[in-house]
Amino acid sequence: MTAILLLLWAVSVCALTTVPPYTGRTIFSPPSSYIVPRTLYARTLLIPQDGADQNVLLATWENYSPEPPHVWFPIFRSVDLGQTWTPFSNVTDTQNGWGLRYQPFLYELTETIGTFPAGTVLLAGNSIPTNLSNTQIDVYASPDKGRTWKFVSHVAAGGEAIPDNGLTPVWEPFITTFNHQIVLYYSDQRDPLHGQKLAHQVSSNLLTWGPIVNDVALPTFSDRPGMTTIAQLPNGKYILTYEYGGAPEGGFAVYFRVSSSPLTFDSVAGSVIRAATGELPTSSPNVAWTAHGGANGTIIVSANSHTGVFVNTALAAPGSPWTYVATNATRSYTREVRILPSNNQILLTGGGTLGGSANSVTGTILQLP
Ligand SMILES: *[C@@H]1O[C@H](CO)[C@@H](O)[C@H](O)[C@H]1NC(C)=O
Ligand SMILES: *[C@@H]1O[C@H](CO)[C@@H](O)[C@H](O)[C@H]1NC(C)=O
Ligand SMILES: *[C@@H]1O[C@H](CO)[C@@H](O)[C@H](O)[C@H]1NC(C)=O
Ligand SMILES: *[C@@H]1O[C@H](CO)[C@@H](O)[C@H](O)[C@H]1NC(C)=O
């Protein structure tokens, strides 16, 4: 009995919830044999309880290792909120013979979906051959918190992996749960009416996927809304951020839409994000919401253009101000915002810059005021 109580006590005090802020902590430093950009597009997952430890972080990224063998998504694990990392597993293409190349995304099921219990860890990513002839968004699942992985389903198949209007690739998966179904969002160049649009498909079992539903599909063919990420707000609404190639502000300005359902973003208008002090975020945004920062909590948006982040404490209500907050993190293409368990610290994870020859995967903690 005493032993059990001691064990429970040890488990509860060992759950690390805050960490002394750190800057540019290395998650993975690629060997010189890696092909430029070596690493890019980092993503993490916070797992509250993984059976062995609490508040576990997993990280993955685009990993430009020499081929053969085909590229894969590495999974690294941290049990100290990102202060140290160890290699944990690899997610490898078992279906196409192409490799898992671009745009990984990690997600933990919040409820049972089909035969997959709550707590199953998903990885969605873009399987692409070395010659970039095809794009294929595939989903893999781990029944044991990232230790082992199995293929689940193909979601969307597209043409060559080149971001030119008129070609037909698919890109950049993002997952959420709504009404007991999984929603998988992605960028889609296959619709002849749109150089690129944002769309989603819904599944109740992760195996079969419903029709393509538009989220942002703009009337001008050459416009390129891209890179869906979504956060749920405490008023029951959802915020979608995206880069807008063709925006009147220029340079893939970051836009957002707020909708009462994450399935109906297509019916609401988008607005640009611009800080009250004038900063205009552009390219590859990432959004998260934390309960910290007052009655509305805080929406936090990172973008490729800035080392700082853009925050809003008014639920992104129309006309509400965005504030630019400096950080010590470096810029990264599609730098991720991860809310840590204390809600007043965020982890910014980057895989480096587009074309960067010295990229590595790093994390920085921002302490929120
Ligand atoms: C991932 O795969 C690479 C290449 O095969 C291998 O060197 C590495 O040890 C693997 N990592 C893990 C954690 O299994
Ligand atoms: C590109 O690679 C794929 C997969 O290996 C192959 O099927 C295809 O024939 C290649 N295409 C060209 C043009 O080489
Ligand atoms: C919460 O957001 C609303 C707008 O949605 C705003 O009017 C209000 O001032 C905000 N409250 C706080 C405490 O910031
Ligand atoms: C940036 O680093 C400096 C020097 O270590 C530190 O004093 C400052 O608080 C940091 N700023 C942020 C926003 O974390």
Side-chain angles (χ1 to χ4, degrees), residues 7-23:
L7 183 68
L8 288 173
W9 174 80
V11 165
S12 62
V13 298
C14 285
L16 196 58
T17 55
T18 59
V19 68
Y22 55 77
T23 297

Side-chain angles (χ1 to χ4, degrees), residues 3-353:
I4 290 170
L5 287 175
L6 274 173
L7 183 68
L8 288 173
W9 174 80
V11 165
S12 62
V13 298
C14 285
L16 196 58
T17 55
T18 59
V19 68
Y22 55 77
T23 297
R25 194 65 60 90
T26 299
I27 300 172
F28 174 70
S29 187
S32 58
S33 61
Y34 270 41
I35 295 153
V36 171
R38 301 205 166 104
T39 63
L40 205 64
Y41 204 106
R43 287 292 181 270
T44 68
L45 178 66
L46 176 67
I47 300 179
Q49 171 58 263
D50 93 338
D53 295 286
Q54 289 177 267
N55 294 336
V56 172
L57 283 167
L58 300 182
T60 190
W61 54 87
E62 293 180 4
N63 187 63
Y64 294 78
S65 56
E67 294 171 271
H70 288 313
V71 288
W72 64 90
F73 293 136
I75 304 289
F76 278 36
R77 180 174 183 267
S78 173
V79 293
D80 56 12
L81 295 181
Q83 297 173 90
T84 59
W85 294 86
T86 48
F88 193 47
S89 62
N90 289 325
V91 193
T92 306
D93 169 22
T94 57
Q95 302 300 307
N96 311 316
W98 298 344
L100 289 171
R101 195 168 304 274
Y102 289 171
Q103 302 142 0
F105 180 79
L106 289 165
Y107 186 77
E108 186 179 20
L109 287 187
T110 54
E111 58 186 279
T112 296
I113 300 288
T115 60
F116 298 89
T120 300
V121 175
L122 303 181
L123 182 143
N126 210 337
S127 179
I128 297 172
T130 318
N131 66 13
L132 308 183
S133 63
N134 293 75
T135 44
Q136 172 69 57
I137 294 175
D138 284 346
V139 175
Y140 285 75
S142 173
D144 49 14
K145 309 293 183 185
R147 290 167 176 81
T148 62
W149 296 89
K150 273 209 178 78
F151 174 74
V152 176
S153 59
H154 299 296
V155 184
E160 59 195 294
I162 296 174
D164 292 349
N165 287 337
L167 301 179
T168 56
V170 290
W171 312 107
E172 301 147 359
F174 180 93
I175 293 174
T176 196
T177 307
F178 182 67
N179 266 348
H180 312 297
Q181 295 189 311
I182 292 296
V183 192
L184 193 147
Y185 301 82
Y186 56 93
S187 307
D188 191 349
Q189 294 193 214
R190 298 170 300 178
D191 183 338
L193 295 178
H194 305 283
Q196 179 170 283
K197 68 180 183 182
L198 299 176
H200 67 260
Q201 291 179 249
V202 168
S203 177
S204 53
N205 57 14
L206 284 170
L207 303 176
T208 55
W209 295 87
I212 298 167
V213 177
N214 292 351
D215 296 308
V216 182
L218 301 168
T220 303
F221 173 82
S222 58
D223 282 355
R224 292 181 60 84
M227 309 193 90
T228 293
T229 61
I230 290 167
Q232 188 174 3
L233 302 177
N235 57 355
K237 296 187 177 180
Y238 295 79
I239 181 169
L240 161 77
T241 59
Y242 55 103
E243 61 176 27
Y244 176 5
E249 297 80 9
F252 288 82
V254 173
Y255 270 61
F256 69 98
R257 291 183 174 197
V258 175
S259 170
S260 53
S261 156
L263 306 181
T264 57
F265 285 113
D266 195 35
S267 60
V268 292
S271 307
V272 72
I273 294 179
R274 191 194 294 274
T277 44
E279 292 87 352
L280 180 79
T282 60
S283 167
S284 63
N286 193 273
V287 65
W289 177 83
T290 172
H292 180 78
N296 299 322
T298 308
I299 299 166
I300 302 169
V301 176
S302 173
N304 182 46
S305 51
H306 286 79
T307 55
V309 293
F310 295 78
V311 307
N312 181 300
T313 54
L315 305 167
S320 62
W322 290 84
T323 304
Y324 182 70
V325 177
T327 80
N328 285 328
T330 53
R331 287 174 46 224
S332 265
Y333 178 64
T334 183
R335 190 178 65 175
E336 185 203 62
V337 181
R338 168 69 50 202
I339 311 300
L340 293 182
S342 60
N343 284 335
N344 67 355
Q345 294 189 322
I346 64 170
L347 174 64
L348 294 167
T349 310
T353 54

